[in-house]
Amino acid sequence: MKNVFKWVFILVFSVVLLPLLVVFFIYKKAVGKREYDPSVLENLKDEAAQNYLKNTAPLSDVDSRYKYIRLKEKATPSAKNIEIGATEDKKIDGPGGKIPLRIYTPKEEGPYDIILYFHGGGFVTGGLQSHDGIARKLVQTTGARVVAVDYRLAPENPFPAAIEDAYAALLWAQSHKTSLRNKGTSLIVAGDSTGGNIAAVIAQMAKAKNGPEISKQILLYPTTDIFSRDASVLYPSMDQFAEGYVLTKESLDKYFKLYLKNASDRKYDPLVAPIRSKDLSGLPKAFIITAEFDPLRDQGEAYAKKLKDASVPVFAKRLDDTLHGFLKTESKATDETYELISEFLEEE
């Protein structure tokens, strides 16, 4: 009888308690001490922005942090308080296996604009759950149907895995426009932060491959160039907001290295840094929002200018008193962004 209890204990420990202990130690190491400069709060007049900084201030251990964030995001509940018509989870075939999608449908009857949405997270974190609220808000405010793409993440799946999955999802949406009830002949790509990078890259790929047809691209505080430290030469905001504003220069550098694992020679490739493309003419009409206190601000604005110089129609706006990632807050800047996106989609 004692042997039975012994084996039951071993089984419970190995299957239940051991994984919980691993999660606990990762959590303890990752959370550590949150580091933010209290003087930074004086620059943020918006209370939602101040609270966001306090709650998401950067952590010293980037390696442990991304592991913890992945675990946390998988357990994040859906933002069901943002009411829409329906959601559907499905998986499609991709170059590296199945690609999870979540399709968000408005309450209203179609047909709809179809937005293919790519989440942010430095190419190493994020997923359907972490950006569920953003996708729902997009549906609620624009009346579009949103297809969120859960692309493969680094470092397990470094570049070009995310791009390959994103383009496969675009091809799937193109071939399923009828069942998606697309009201036009073209699609819309969108994303925040590194998701904005993916959306911009996919728009360039579609142009180079003569399809699928993309009518608009929505880039929200996007990454358009390399993360490495020498980027601050071109983009002063990389140094100006290197520390203390949620997203740090150190974490950007780390995420970039994880993303380009075994492919550091590709850091100037337009598939990594869309702003490095030699020809941006003929790309879809662009909507680009940047945040005042964001190390990525200047490269997002530089991409907007380069698109304009290539005669691409661009709506670009810098939102004051905001931080990188503000779409996850309940700030005035967040509400304004969704309103502007809605207006952008209504334009011919």
Side-chain angles (χ1 to χ4, degrees), residues 254-276:
K254 182 66 178 181
Y255 289 151
F256 179 74
K257 288 176 181 176
L258 292 172
Y259 181 52
L260 283 190
K261 181 182 177 183
N262 303 324
S264 58
D265 59 322
R266 302 285 296 277
K267 65 182 180 180
Y268 296 117
D269 189 323
L271 294 179
V272 174
I275 199 171
R276 301 282 176 167

mmCIF file with all atom_site columns, all heavy atoms in Angstrom, residues 254-276:
data_model
loop_
_atom_site.group_PDB
_atom_site.id
_atom_site.type_symbol
_atom_site.label_atom_id
_atom_site.label_alt_id
_atom_site.label_comp_id
_atom_site.label_asym_id
_atom_site.label_entity_id
_atom_site.label_seq_id
_atom_site.pdbx_PDB_ins_code
_atom_site.Cartn_x
_atom_site.Cartn_y
_atom_site.Cartn_z
_atom_site.occupancy
_atom_site.B_iso_or_equiv
_atom_site.pdbx_formal_charge
_atom_site.auth_seq_id
_atom_site.auth_comp_id
_atom_site.auth_asym_id
_atom_site.auth_atom_id
_atom_site.pdbx_PDB_model_num
ATOM 1   N N   . LYS A 1 254 ? 17.953 42.930 -27.611 1.00 0.00 ? 254 LYS A N   1
ATOM 2   C CA  . LYS A 1 254 ? 17.862 41.503 -27.286 1.00 0.00 ? 254 LYS A CA  1
ATOM 3   C C   . LYS A 1 254 ? 16.864 40.804 -28.202 1.00 0.00 ? 254 LYS A C   1
ATOM 4   O O   . LYS A 1 254 ? 17.150 39.735 -28.761 1.00 0.00 ? 254 LYS A O   1
ATOM 5   C CB  . LYS A 1 254 ? 17.432 41.340 -25.829 1.00 0.00 ? 254 LYS A CB  1
ATOM 6   C CG  . LYS A 1 254 ? 17.360 39.889 -25.377 1.00 0.00 ? 254 LYS A CG  1
ATOM 7   C CD  . LYS A 1 254 ? 18.732 39.245 -25.372 1.00 0.00 ? 254 LYS A CD  1
ATOM 8   C CE  . LYS A 1 254 ? 18.671 37.820 -24.878 1.00 0.00 ? 254 LYS A CE  1
ATOM 9   N NZ  . LYS A 1 254 ? 20.001 37.181 -24.847 1.00 0.00 ? 254 LYS A NZ  1
ATOM 10  N N   . TYR A 1 255 ? 15.682 41.390 -28.376 1.00 0.00 ? 255 TYR A N   1
ATOM 11  C CA  . TYR A 1 255 ? 14.663 40.783 -29.224 1.00 0.00 ? 255 TYR A CA  1
ATOM 12  C C   . TYR A 1 255 ? 15.149 40.649 -30.665 1.00 0.00 ? 255 TYR A C   1
ATOM 13  O O   . TYR A 1 255 ? 14.881 39.658 -31.339 1.00 0.00 ? 255 TYR A O   1
ATOM 14  C CB  . TYR A 1 255 ? 13.375 41.617 -29.193 1.00 0.00 ? 255 TYR A CB  1
ATOM 15  C CG  . TYR A 1 255 ? 12.632 41.539 -27.888 1.00 0.00 ? 255 TYR A CG  1
ATOM 16  C CD1 . TYR A 1 255 ? 11.851 42.614 -27.461 1.00 0.00 ? 255 TYR A CD1 1
ATOM 17  C CD2 . TYR A 1 255 ? 12.691 40.412 -27.076 1.00 0.00 ? 255 TYR A CD2 1
ATOM 18  C CE1 . TYR A 1 255 ? 11.152 42.550 -26.258 1.00 0.00 ? 255 TYR A CE1 1
ATOM 19  C CE2 . TYR A 1 255 ? 12.000 40.349 -25.883 1.00 0.00 ? 255 TYR A CE2 1
ATOM 20  C CZ  . TYR A 1 255 ? 11.227 41.419 -25.474 1.00 0.00 ? 255 TYR A CZ  1
ATOM 21  O OH  . TYR A 1 255 ? 10.541 41.353 -24.295 1.00 0.00 ? 255 TYR A OH  1
ATOM 22  N N   . PHE A 1 256 ? 15.854 41.678 -31.118 1.00 0.00 ? 256 PHE A N   1
ATOM 23  C CA  . PHE A 1 256 ? 16.365 41.652 -32.489 1.00 0.00 ? 256 PHE A CA  1
ATOM 24  C C   . PHE A 1 256 ? 17.332 40.486 -32.688 1.00 0.00 ? 256 PHE A C   1
ATOM 25  O O   . PHE A 1 256 ? 17.274 39.772 -33.698 1.00 0.00 ? 256 PHE A O   1
ATOM 26  C CB  . PHE A 1 256 ? 17.045 42.981 -32.807 1.00 0.00 ? 256 PHE A CB  1
ATOM 27  C CG  . PHE A 1 256 ? 17.639 43.050 -34.181 1.00 0.00 ? 256 PHE A CG  1
ATOM 28  C CD1 . PHE A 1 256 ? 16.827 43.182 -35.283 1.00 0.00 ? 256 PHE A CD1 1
ATOM 29  C CD2 . PHE A 1 256 ? 19.009 42.982 -34.368 1.00 0.00 ? 256 PHE A CD2 1
ATOM 30  C CE1 . PHE A 1 256 ? 17.367 43.242 -36.564 1.00 0.00 ? 256 PHE A CE1 1
ATOM 31  C CE2 . PHE A 1 256 ? 19.560 43.037 -35.640 1.00 0.00 ? 256 PHE A CE2 1
ATOM 32  C CZ  . PHE A 1 256 ? 18.735 43.165 -36.735 1.00 0.00 ? 256 PHE A CZ  1
ATOM 33  N N   . LYS A 1 257 ? 18.203 40.277 -31.699 1.00 0.00 ? 257 LYS A N   1
ATOM 34  C CA  . LYS A 1 257 ? 19.174 39.186 -31.800 1.00 0.00 ? 257 LYS A CA  1
ATOM 35  C C   . LYS A 1 257 ? 18.475 37.830 -31.771 1.00 0.00 ? 257 LYS A C   1
ATOM 36  O O   . LYS A 1 257 ? 18.881 36.898 -32.470 1.00 0.00 ? 257 LYS A O   1
ATOM 37  C CB  . LYS A 1 257 ? 20.187 39.287 -30.665 1.00 0.00 ? 257 LYS A CB  1
ATOM 38  C CG  . LYS A 1 257 ? 21.170 40.442 -30.847 1.00 0.00 ? 257 LYS A CG  1
ATOM 39  C CD  . LYS A 1 257 ? 22.097 40.585 -29.649 1.00 0.00 ? 257 LYS A CD  1
ATOM 40  C CE  . LYS A 1 257 ? 23.053 41.756 -29.847 1.00 0.00 ? 257 LYS A CE  1
ATOM 41  N NZ  . LYS A 1 257 ? 23.914 41.982 -28.657 1.00 0.00 ? 257 LYS A NZ  1
ATOM 42  N N   . LEU A 1 258 ? 17.430 37.703 -30.964 1.00 0.00 ? 258 LEU A N   1
ATOM 43  C CA  . LEU A 1 258 ? 16.676 36.454 -30.925 1.00 0.00 ? 258 LEU A CA  1
ATOM 44  C C   . LEU A 1 258 ? 15.972 36.201 -32.253 1.00 0.00 ? 258 LEU A C   1
ATOM 45  O O   . LEU A 1 258 ? 15.924 35.065 -32.738 1.00 0.00 ? 258 LEU A O   1
ATOM 46  C CB  . LEU A 1 258 ? 15.652 36.494 -29.788 1.00 0.00 ? 258 LEU A CB  1
ATOM 47  C CG  . LEU A 1 258 ? 16.210 36.483 -28.366 1.00 0.00 ? 258 LEU A CG  1
ATOM 48  C CD1 . LEU A 1 258 ? 15.085 36.722 -27.364 1.00 0.00 ? 258 LEU A CD1 1
ATOM 49  C CD2 . LEU A 1 258 ? 16.912 35.169 -28.059 1.00 0.00 ? 258 LEU A CD2 1
ATOM 50  N N   . TYR A 1 259 ? 15.427 37.255 -32.830 1.00 0.00 ? 259 TYR A N   1
ATOM 51  C CA  . TYR A 1 259 ? 14.699 37.129 -34.096 1.00 0.00 ? 259 TYR A CA  1
ATOM 52  C C   . TYR A 1 259 ? 15.629 36.739 -35.234 1.00 0.00 ? 259 TYR A C   1
ATOM 53  O O   . TYR A 1 259 ? 15.293 35.908 -36.084 1.00 0.00 ? 259 TYR A O   1
ATOM 54  C CB  . TYR A 1 259 ? 14.007 38.448 -34.411 1.00 0.00 ? 259 TYR A CB  1
ATOM 55  C CG  . TYR A 1 259 ? 13.191 38.466 -35.681 1.00 0.00 ? 259 TYR A CG  1
ATOM 56  C CD1 . TYR A 1 259 ? 12.231 37.489 -35.940 1.00 0.00 ? 259 TYR A CD1 1
ATOM 57  C CD2 . TYR A 1 259 ? 13.357 39.482 -36.622 1.00 0.00 ? 259 TYR A CD2 1
ATOM 58  C CE1 . TYR A 1 259 ? 11.459 37.522 -37.093 1.00 0.00 ? 259 TYR A CE1 1
ATOM 59  C CE2 . TYR A 1 259 ? 12.594 39.516 -37.775 1.00 0.00 ? 259 TYR A CE2 1
ATOM 60  C CZ  . TYR A 1 259 ? 11.649 38.528 -38.009 1.00 0.00 ? 259 TYR A CZ  1
ATOM 61  O OH  . TYR A 1 259 ? 10.894 38.567 -39.164 1.00 0.00 ? 259 TYR A OH  1
ATOM 62  N N   . LEU A 1 260 ? 16.831 37.337 -35.253 1.00 0.00 ? 260 LEU A N   1
ATOM 63  C CA  . LEU A 1 260 ? 17.779 37.073 -36.337 1.00 0.00 ? 260 LEU A CA  1
ATOM 64  C C   . LEU A 1 260 ? 18.826 36.034 -35.953 1.00 0.00 ? 260 LEU A C   1
ATOM 65  O O   . LEU A 1 260 ? 19.962 36.093 -36.434 1.00 0.00 ? 260 LEU A O   1
ATOM 66  C CB  . LEU A 1 260 ? 18.464 38.371 -36.767 1.00 0.00 ? 260 LEU A CB  1
ATOM 67  C CG  . LEU A 1 260 ? 17.638 39.306 -37.630 1.00 0.00 ? 260 LEU A CG  1
ATOM 68  C CD1 . LEU A 1 260 ? 18.506 40.416 -38.193 1.00 0.00 ? 260 LEU A CD1 1
ATOM 69  C CD2 . LEU A 1 260 ? 16.954 38.565 -38.761 1.00 0.00 ? 260 LEU A CD2 1
ATOM 70  N N   . LYS A 1 261 ? 18.441 35.125 -35.112 1.00 0.00 ? 261 LYS A N   1
ATOM 71  C CA  . LYS A 1 261 ? 19.334 34.036 -34.721 1.00 0.00 ? 261 LYS A CA  1
ATOM 72  C C   . LYS A 1 261 ? 19.841 33.312 -35.975 1.00 0.00 ? 261 LYS A C   1
ATOM 73  O O   . LYS A 1 261 ? 19.062 32.876 -36.813 1.00 0.00 ? 261 LYS A O   1
ATOM 74  C CB  . LYS A 1 261 ? 18.550 33.061 -33.828 1.00 0.00 ? 261 LYS A CB  1
ATOM 75  C CG  . LYS A 1 261 ? 19.332 31.887 -33.329 1.00 0.00 ? 261 LYS A CG  1
ATOM 76  C CD  . LYS A 1 261 ? 18.404 31.002 -32.500 1.00 0.00 ? 261 LYS A CD  1
ATOM 77  C CE  . LYS A 1 261 ? 19.118 29.756 -32.019 1.00 0.00 ? 261 LYS A CE  1
ATOM 78  N NZ  . LYS A 1 261 ? 18.183 28.875 -31.263 1.00 0.00 ? 261 LYS A NZ  1
ATOM 79  N N   . ASN A 1 262 ? 21.154 33.238 -36.115 1.00 0.00 ? 262 ASN A N   1
ATOM 80  C CA  . ASN A 1 262 ? 21.806 32.584 -37.266 1.00 0.00 ? 262 ASN A CA  1
ATOM 81  C C   . ASN A 1 262 ? 21.554 33.311 -38.584 1.00 0.00 ? 262 ASN A C   1
ATOM 82  O O   . ASN A 1 262 ? 21.793 32.752 -39.658 1.00 0.00 ? 262 ASN A O   1
ATOM 83  C CB  . ASN A 1 262 ? 21.350 31.124 -37.403 1.00 0.00 ? 262 ASN A CB  1
ATOM 84  C CG  . ASN A 1 262 ? 21.607 30.311 -36.154 1.00 0.00 ? 262 ASN A CG  1
ATOM 85  O OD1 . ASN A 1 262 ? 22.619 30.512 -35.486 1.00 0.00 ? 262 ASN A OD1 1
ATOM 86  N ND2 . ASN A 1 262 ? 20.691 29.415 -35.829 1.00 0.00 ? 262 ASN A ND2 1
ATOM 87  N N   . ALA A 1 263 ? 21.066 34.557 -38.529 1.00 0.00 ? 263 ALA A N   1
ATOM 88  C CA  . ALA A 1 263 ? 20.829 35.307 -39.769 1.00 0.00 ? 263 ALA A CA  1
ATOM 89  C C   . ALA A 1 263 ? 21.151 36.781 -39.582 1.00 0.00 ? 263 ALA A C   1
ATOM 90  O O   . ALA A 1 263 ? 20.483 37.653 -40.142 1.00 0.00 ? 263 ALA A O   1
ATOM 91  C CB  . ALA A 1 263 ? 19.375 35.140 -40.212 1.00 0.00 ? 263 ALA A CB  1
ATOM 92  N N   . SER A 1 264 ? 22.184 37.084 -38.789 1.00 0.00 ? 264 SER A N   1
ATOM 93  C CA  . SER A 1 264 ? 22.526 38.484 -38.504 1.00 0.00 ? 264 SER A CA  1
ATOM 94  C C   . SER A 1 264 ? 22.938 39.238 -39.762 1.00 0.00 ? 264 SER A C   1
ATOM 95  O O   . SER A 1 264 ? 22.858 40.469 -39.808 1.00 0.00 ? 264 SER A O   1
ATOM 96  C CB  . SER A 1 264 ? 23.655 38.552 -37.465 1.00 0.00 ? 264 SER A CB  1
ATOM 97  O OG  . SER A 1 264 ? 24.797 37.853 -37.922 1.00 0.00 ? 264 SER A OG  1
ATOM 98  N N   . ASP A 1 265 ? 23.366 38.509 -40.795 1.00 0.00 ? 265 ASP A N   1
ATOM 99  C CA  . ASP A 1 265 ? 23.755 39.159 -42.044 1.00 0.00 ? 265 ASP A CA  1
ATOM 100 C C   . ASP A 1 265 ? 22.548 39.693 -42.815 1.00 0.00 ? 265 ASP A C   1
ATOM 101 O O   . ASP A 1 265 ? 22.705 40.405 -43.797 1.00 0.00 ? 265 ASP A O   1
ATOM 102 C CB  . ASP A 1 265 ? 24.533 38.184 -42.930 1.00 0.00 ? 265 ASP A CB  1
ATOM 103 C CG  . ASP A 1 265 ? 23.730 36.941 -43.272 1.00 0.00 ? 265 ASP A CG  1
ATOM 104 O OD1 . ASP A 1 265 ? 22.990 36.457 -42.397 1.00 0.00 ? 265 ASP A OD1 1
ATOM 105 O OD2 . ASP A 1 265 ? 23.848 36.451 -44.410 1.00 0.00 ? 265 ASP A OD2 1
ATOM 106 N N   . ARG A 1 266 ? 21.348 39.360 -42.347 1.00 0.00 ? 266 ARG A N   1
ATOM 107 C CA  . ARG A 1 266 ? 20.128 39.795 -43.037 1.00 0.00 ? 266 ARG A CA  1
ATOM 108 C C   . ARG A 1 266 ? 19.506 41.043 -42.408 1.00 0.00 ? 266 ARG A C   1
ATOM 109 O O   . ARG A 1 266 ? 18.394 41.435 -42.773 1.00 0.00 ? 266 ARG A O   1
ATOM 110 C CB  . ARG A 1 266 ? 19.084 38.663 -43.007 1.00 0.00 ? 266 ARG A CB  1
ATOM 111 C CG  . ARG A 1 266 ? 19.526 37.346 -43.620 1.00 0.00 ? 266 ARG A CG  1
ATOM 112 C CD  . ARG A 1 266 ? 19.540 37.390 -45.133 1.00 0.00 ? 266 ARG A CD  1
ATOM 113 N NE  . ARG A 1 266 ? 18.220 37.586 -45.705 1.00 0.00 ? 266 ARG A NE  1
ATOM 114 C CZ  . ARG A 1 266 ? 17.341 36.605 -45.917 1.00 0.00 ? 266 ARG A CZ  1
ATOM 115 N NH1 . ARG A 1 266 ? 17.634 35.348 -45.569 1.00 0.00 ? 266 ARG A NH1 1
ATOM 116 N NH2 . ARG A 1 266 ? 16.176 36.860 -46.479 1.00 0.00 ? 266 ARG A NH2 1
ATOM 117 N N   . LYS A 1 267 ? 20.195 41.687 -41.456 1.00 0.00 ? 267 LYS A N   1
ATOM 118 C CA  . LYS A 1 267 ? 19.544 42.766 -40.700 1.00 0.00 ? 267 LYS A CA  1
ATOM 119 C C   . LYS A 1 267 ? 19.170 43.974 -41.550 1.00 0.00 ? 267 LYS A C   1
ATOM 120 O O   . LYS A 1 267 ? 18.330 44.769 -41.143 1.00 0.00 ? 267 LYS A O   1
ATOM 121 C CB  . LYS A 1 267 ? 20.418 43.200 -39.523 1.00 0.00 ? 267 LYS A CB  1
ATOM 122 C CG  . LYS A 1 267 ? 21.749 43.834 -39.879 1.00 0.00 ? 267 LYS A CG  1
ATOM 123 C CD  . LYS A 1 267 ? 22.505 44.159 -38.597 1.00 0.00 ? 267 LYS A CD  1
ATOM 124 C CE  . LYS A 1 267 ? 23.857 44.807 -38.883 1.00 0.00 ? 267 LYS A CE  1
ATOM 125 N NZ  . LYS A 1 267 ? 24.586 45.124 -37.631 1.00 0.00 ? 267 LYS A NZ  1
ATOM 126 N N   . TYR A 1 268 ? 19.768 44.124 -42.718 1.00 0.00 ? 268 TYR A N   1
ATOM 127 C CA  . TYR A 1 268 ? 19.390 45.225 -43.601 1.00 0.00 ? 268 TYR A CA  1
ATOM 128 C C   . TYR A 1 268 ? 18.501 44.767 -44.749 1.00 0.00 ? 268 TYR A C   1
ATOM 129 O O   . TYR A 1 268 ? 18.205 45.531 -45.665 1.00 0.00 ? 268 TYR A O   1
ATOM 130 C CB  . TYR A 1 268 ? 20.641 45.917 -44.148 1.00 0.00 ? 268 TYR A CB  1
ATOM 131 C CG  . TYR A 1 268 ? 21.475 46.567 -43.075 1.00 0.00 ? 268 TYR A CG  1
ATOM 132 C CD1 . TYR A 1 268 ? 22.783 46.139 -42.833 1.00 0.00 ? 268 TYR A CD1 1
ATOM 133 C CD2 . TYR A 1 268 ? 20.964 47.601 -42.290 1.00 0.00 ? 268 TYR A CD2 1
ATOM 134 C CE1 . TYR A 1 268 ? 23.557 46.729 -41.833 1.00 0.00 ? 268 TYR A CE1 1
ATOM 135 C CE2 . TYR A 1 268 ? 21.727 48.193 -41.290 1.00 0.00 ? 268 TYR A CE2 1
ATOM 136 C CZ  . TYR A 1 268 ? 23.014 47.754 -41.068 1.00 0.00 ? 268 TYR A CZ  1
ATOM 137 O OH  . TYR A 1 268 ? 23.780 48.336 -40.084 1.00 0.00 ? 268 TYR A OH  1
ATOM 138 N N   . ASP A 1 269 ? 18.077 43.537 -44.712 1.00 0.00 ? 269 ASP A N   1
ATOM 139 C CA  . ASP A 1 269 ? 17.167 42.990 -45.716 1.00 0.00 ? 269 ASP A CA  1
ATOM 140 C C   . ASP A 1 269 ? 15.792 43.634 -45.534 1.00 0.00 ? 269 ASP A C   1
ATOM 141 O O   . ASP A 1 269 ? 15.300 43.731 -44.410 1.00 0.00 ? 269 ASP A O   1
ATOM 142 C CB  . ASP A 1 269 ? 17.069 41.478 -45.513 1.00 0.00 ? 269 ASP A CB  1
ATOM 143 C CG  . ASP A 1 269 ? 16.319 40.762 -46.628 1.00 0.00 ? 269 ASP A CG  1
ATOM 144 O OD1 . ASP A 1 269 ? 15.337 41.335 -47.144 1.00 0.00 ? 269 ASP A OD1 1
ATOM 145 O OD2 . ASP A 1 269 ? 16.697 39.628 -46.957 1.00 0.00 ? 269 ASP A OD2 1
ATOM 146 N N   . PRO A 1 270 ? 15.150 44.105 -46.610 1.00 0.00 ? 270 PRO A N   1
ATOM 147 C CA  . PRO A 1 270 ? 13.807 44.687 -46.480 1.00 0.00 ? 270 PRO A CA  1
ATOM 148 C C   . PRO A 1 270 ? 12.785 43.744 -45.856 1.00 0.00 ? 270 PRO A C   1
ATOM 149 O O   . PRO A 1 270 ? 11.773 44.205 -45.324 1.00 0.00 ? 270 PRO A O   1
ATOM 150 C CB  . PRO A 1 270 ? 13.434 45.017 -47.925 1.00 0.00 ? 270 PRO A CB  1
ATOM 151 C CG  . PRO A 1 270 ? 14.736 45.240 -48.615 1.00 0.00 ? 270 PRO A CG  1
ATOM 152 C CD  . PRO A 1 270 ? 15.680 44.257 -47.980 1.00 0.00 ? 270 PRO A CD  1
ATOM 153 N N   . LEU A 1 271 ? 13.044 42.439 -45.886 1.00 0.00 ? 271 LEU A N   1
ATOM 154 C CA  . LEU A 1 271 ? 12.149 41.497 -45.223 1.00 0.00 ? 271 LEU A CA  1
ATOM 155 C C   . LEU A 1 271 ? 12.276 41.580 -43.700 1.00 0.00 ? 271 LEU A C   1
ATOM 156 O O   . LEU A 1 271 ? 11.411 41.113 -42.967 1.00 0.00 ? 271 LEU A O   1
ATOM 157 C CB  . LEU A 1 271 ? 12.435 40.066 -45.670 1.00 0.00 ? 271 LEU A CB  1
ATOM 158 C CG  . LEU A 1 271 ? 12.135 39.742 -47.136 1.00 0.00 ? 271 LEU A CG  1
ATOM 159 C CD1 . LEU A 1 271 ? 12.490 38.292 -47.427 1.00 0.00 ? 271 LEU A CD1 1
ATOM 160 C CD2 . LEU A 1 271 ? 10.672 40.005 -47.459 1.00 0.00 ? 271 LEU A CD2 1
ATOM 161 N N   . VAL A 1 272 ? 13.361 42.200 -43.237 1.00 0.00 ? 272 VAL A N   1
ATOM 162 C CA  . VAL A 1 272 ? 13.566 42.459 -41.812 1.00 0.00 ? 272 VAL A CA  1
ATOM 163 C C   . VAL A 1 272 ? 13.276 43.926 -41.509 1.00 0.00 ? 272 VAL A C   1
ATOM 164 O O   . VAL A 1 272 ? 12.596 44.259 -40.541 1.00 0.00 ? 272 VAL A O   1
ATOM 165 C CB  . VAL A 1 272 ? 15.012 42.123 -41.391 1.00 0.00 ? 272 VAL A CB  1
ATOM 166 C CG1 . VAL A 1 272 ? 15.271 42.543 -39.947 1.00 0.00 ? 272 VAL A CG1 1
ATOM 167 C CG2 . VAL A 1 272 ? 15.289 40.643 -41.574 1.00 0.00 ? 272 VAL A CG2 1
ATOM 168 N N   . ALA A 1 273 ? 13.803 44.791 -42.355 1.00 0.00 ? 273 ALA A N   1
ATOM 169 C CA  . ALA A 1 273 ? 13.696 46.239 -42.178 1.00 0.00 ? 273 ALA A CA  1
ATOM 170 C C   . ALA A 1 273 ? 13.042 46.840 -43.430 1.00 0.00 ? 273 ALA A C   1
ATOM 171 O O   . ALA A 1 273 ? 13.737 47.215 -44.373 1.00 0.00 ? 273 ALA A O   1
ATOM 172 C CB  . ALA A 1 273 ? 15.083 46.835 -41.965 1.00 0.00 ? 273 ALA A CB  1
ATOM 173 N N   . PRO A 1 274 ? 11.720 46.928 -43.464 1.00 0.00 ? 274 PRO A N   1
ATOM 174 C CA  . PRO A 1 274 ? 11.033 47.383 -44.680 1.00 0.00 ? 274 PRO A CA  1
ATOM 175 C C   . PRO A 1 274 ? 11.447 48.768 -45.168 1.00 0.00 ? 274 PRO A C   1
ATOM 176 O O   . PRO A 1 274 ? 11.344 49.059 -46.355 1.00 0.00 ? 274 PRO A O   1
ATOM 177 C CB  . PRO A 1 274 ? 9.548  47.343 -44.290 1.00 0.00 ? 274 PRO A CB  1
ATOM 178 C CG  . PRO A 1 274 ? 9.523  47.301 -42.799 1.00 0.00 ? 274 PRO A CG  1
ATOM 179 C CD  . PRO A 1 274 ? 10.772 46.590 -42.387 1.00 0.00 ? 274 PRO A CD  1
ATOM 180 N N   . ILE A 1 275 ? 11.947 49.605 -44.258 1.00 0.00 ? 275 ILE A N   1
ATOM 181 C CA  . ILE A 1 275 ? 12.376 50.940 -44.666 1.00 0.00 ? 275 ILE A CA  1
ATOM 182 C C   . ILE A 1 275 ? 13.607 50.882 -45.568 1.00 0.00 ? 275 ILE A C   1
ATOM 183 O O   . ILE A 1 275 ? 13.920 51.834 -46.282 1.00 0.00 ? 275 ILE A O   1
ATOM 184 C CB  . ILE A 1 275 ? 12.671 51.821 -43.419 1.00 0.00 ? 275 ILE A CB  1
ATOM 185 C CG1 . ILE A 1 275 ? 12.653 53.311 -43.792 1.00 0.00 ? 275 ILE A CG1 1
ATOM 186 C CG2 . ILE A 1 275 ? 13.984 51.435 -42.777 1.00 0.00 ? 275 ILE A CG2 1
ATOM 187 C CD1 . ILE A 1 275 ? 12.716 54.238 -42.595 1.00 0.00 ? 275 ILE A CD1 1
ATOM 188 N N   . ARG A 1 276 ? 14.309 49.753 -45.577 1.00 0.00 ? 276 ARG A N   1
ATOM 189 C CA  . ARG A 1 276 ? 15.517 49.601 -46.386 1.00 0.00 ? 276 ARG A CA  1
ATOM 190 C C   . ARG A 1 276 ? 15.218 49.250 -47.842 1.00 0.00 ? 276 ARG A C   1
ATOM 191 O O   . ARG A 1 276 ? 16.135 49.146 -48.650 1.00 0.00 ? 276 ARG A O   1
ATOM 192 C CB  . ARG A 1 276 ? 16.403 48.510 -45.783 1.00 0.00 ? 276 ARG A CB  1
ATOM 193 C CG  . ARG A 1 276 ? 16.839 48.777 -44.343 1.00 0.00 ? 276 ARG A CG  1
ATOM 194 C CD  . ARG A 1 276 ? 17.951 49.772 -44.263 1.00 0.00 ? 276 ARG A CD  1
ATOM 195 N NE  . ARG A 1 276 ? 18.298 50.087 -42.872 1.00 0.00 ? 276 ARG A NE  1
ATOM 196 C CZ  . ARG A 1 276 ? 19.402 50.732 -42.513 1.00 0.00 ? 276 ARG A CZ  1
ATOM 197 N NH1 . ARG A 1 276 ? 20.267 51.114 -43.422 1.00 0.00 ? 276 ARG A NH1 1
ATOM 198 N NH2 . ARG A 1 276 ? 19.633 51.008 -41.246 1.00 0.00 ? 276 ARG A NH2 1
#
